[in-house]
């Protein structure tokens, strides 16, 4: 889990447009229903964003994040992972998400992601970019496969290597298409520099355009409001996310890059 139930995302400057939001129930290819939250900008001015949450699934943090994205001109939809086992209603803070995560399977997750992309495509006639966090960051990297039809993928602290015996984005690099933006935490105990480096090497070997940034000293789940010691890191991450969205729409991100940002 990345975020506690009361966590909220950081804010990027002043809104440039108005926002309307609604909770939705979408239907996957196998007929399963799952919850989602959609935020629409009054004036869209960039790619739409499919938000993939951490392993808690749909929560208030990500609902607010879609609103922050919409304030900057991006139609944004966040999906839940547990419609098949936990239903589509709101959840309490003590929701046993790990029990449901253990029942979630790759085919269902990918089908729900595809349904989310399809809904965004109906909402917006522009490009779609995936944006994921932790478990969702891993999934976001995987959505860079052509079958999902996204124009780019952004993952924050997404584990890219083999996990519980399952191949990850590193092993799937030959199937992926760029551009990919990876934002990693230098003090993340779960994702070592070697794991990030191996992912970058795999993408480079496969000719996948990517940009990695590691924030020295930052912990896992650093992207959160209310932590003044991480304000500069959050601001830089926001700038890179929004810049990536703009460059993806223009097709400007074409060469691999990596950087380490100091606190």
């Amino acid at each position: 889990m990345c975020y506690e139930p009361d966590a909220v995302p950081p804010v990027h400057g002043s809104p440039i447009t108005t926002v309307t939001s609604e909770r939705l129930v979408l239907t996957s290819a196998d007929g399963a229903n799952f919850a989602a939250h959609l935020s629409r900008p009054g004036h869209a001015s960039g790619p739409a964003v499919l938000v993939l949450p951490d392993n808690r699934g749909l929560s208030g943090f990500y609902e607010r994040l879609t609103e922050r994205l919409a304030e900057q001109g991006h139609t944004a939809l966040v999906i839940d992972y547990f419609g098949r086992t936990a239903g589509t209603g709101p959840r309490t803070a003590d929701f046993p998400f790990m029990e449901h995560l253990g029942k979630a399977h790759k085919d269902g997750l990918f089908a729900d992601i595809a349904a989310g992309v399809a809904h965004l495509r109906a909402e917006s006639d522009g490009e779609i970019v995936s944006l994921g966090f932790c478990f969702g960051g891993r999934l976001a990297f995987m959505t860079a496969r052509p079958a999902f039809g996204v124009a780019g993928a952004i993952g924050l602290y997404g584990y890219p290597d083999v996990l519980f015996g399952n191949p990850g984005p590193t092993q799937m690099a030959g199937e992926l298409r760029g551009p990919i933006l990876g934002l990693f935490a230098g003090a993340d105990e779960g994702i070592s520099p070697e794991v990030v480096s191996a992912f970058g090497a795999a993408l480079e070997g496969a000719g996948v355009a990517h940009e990695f940034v590691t924030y020295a000293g930052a912990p896992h789940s650093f992207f959160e409001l209310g932590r003044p010691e991480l304000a500069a890191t959050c601001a830089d991450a926001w700038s890179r996310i929004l810049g990536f969205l703009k460059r993806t729409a223009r097709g400007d991100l074409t060469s691999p890059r990596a950087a380490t940002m100091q606190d």
Side-chain angles (χ1 to χ4, degrees), residues 71-150:
E71 288 174 351
Q72 302 303 318
H74 302 281
T75 301
L77 176 77
V78 58
I79 65 170
D80 185 47
Y81 303 132
F82 308 128
R84 292 170 182 78
T85 59
T88 60
R91 294 168 190 152
T92 59
D94 60 354
F95 171 65
F97 61 93
M98 289 303 294
E99 295 179 17
H100 294 274
L101 185 65
K103 300 174 185 177
H105 299 289
K106 178 182 67 176
D107 290 347
L109 290 168
F110 286 165
D112 295 351
I113 290 170
V117 171
H119 189 87
L120 272 179
R121 208 170 296 287
E123 288 279 341
S124 171
D125 58 4
E127 302 281 17
I128 298 170
V129 172
S130 61
L131 167 62
F133 294 74
C134 189
F135 177 69
R138 179 181 175 88
L139 291 176
F141 294 143
M142 293 180 178
T143 67
R145 291 190 296 170
F148 288 101
V150 300

Side-chain angles (χ1 to χ4, degrees), residues 95-238:
F95 171 65
F97 61 93
M98 289 303 294
E99 295 179 17
H100 294 274
L101 185 65
K103 300 174 185 177
H105 299 289
K106 178 182 67 176
D107 290 347
L109 290 168
F110 286 165
D112 295 351
I113 290 170
V117 171
H119 189 87
L120 272 179
R121 208 170 296 287
E123 288 279 341
S124 171
D125 58 4
E127 302 281 17
I128 298 170
V129 172
S130 61
L131 167 62
F133 294 74
C134 189
F135 177 69
R138 179 181 175 88
L139 291 176
F141 294 143
M142 293 180 178
T143 67
R145 291 190 296 170
F148 288 101
V150 300
I154 306 169
L156 281 79
Y157 19 92
Y159 188 74
D161 212 336
V162 174
L163 188 63
F164 302 120
N166 298 310
T170 299
Q171 290 71 41
M172 297 168 56
E175 304 175 41
L176 306 182
R177 301 292 181 270
I180 291 174
L181 173 63
L183 302 181
F184 297 96
D188 191 332
E189 297 179 358
I191 306 177
S192 69
E194 292 77 17
V195 165
V196 175
S197 179
F199 183 31
L203 292 177
E204 185 168 359
V208 179
H210 63 284
E211 177 182 358
F212 286 178
V213 178
T214 297
Y215 294 99
H220 188 83
S221 67
F222 62 78
F223 194 73
E224 180 182 349
L225 188 67
R227 303 182 69 174
E229 74 281 10
L230 297 173
T233 297
C234 290
D236 187 81
W238 254 131

Side-chain angles (χ1 to χ4, degrees), residues 237-253:
W238 254 131
S239 293
R240 291 177 184 275
I241 290 168
L242 295 175
F244 180 90
L245 293 174
K246 291 178 182 178
R247 297 198 309 276
T248 299
R250 298 196 305 260
D252 287 352
L253 186 56

